[in-house]
Amino acid sequence: MSILQRMVTMHEASDSRGIPYHPIPFGKRVVSAPDCLAVLSQLVLCNSPELVGEAAALLCSLLEHNA
């Protein structure tokens, strides 16, 4: 989970004015693939508070500038 979080946060998704970059940075594109999102959504439903928190934080950062 920490590696995925680093991939997402490595490159900023918006500039200093808050305008999102297009196309979406590579790390976010990789982690937001359908296969990865399915695994992340399953982690939110698991019974481990640490994994649920990390998966929720990762999903939040993925959806930050997405409609």
Side-chain angles (χ1 to χ4, degrees):
M1 291 298 293
S2 63
I3 292 172
L4 293 176
Q5 184 68 28
R6 281 189 193 159
M7 280 180 59
V8 169
T9 59
M10 184 180 297
H11 300 286
E12 291 292 322
S14 62
D15 62 6
S16 61
R17 297 173 293 171
I19 299 172
Y21 292 125
H22 291 286
I24 298 172
F26 179 74
K28 282 191 174 188
R29 279 186 279 159
V30 169
V31 178
S32 62
D35 295 337
C36 238
L37 285 178
V39 171
L40 287 175
S41 62
Q42 288 296 316
L43 285 175
V44 171
L45 299 174
C46 77
N47 199 18
S48 173
E50 296 86 18
L51 281 177
V52 170
E54 289 180 18
L58 185 57
L59 284 172
C60 184
S61 62
L62 277 175
L63 300 174
E64 185 176 12
H65 293 289
N66 292 335

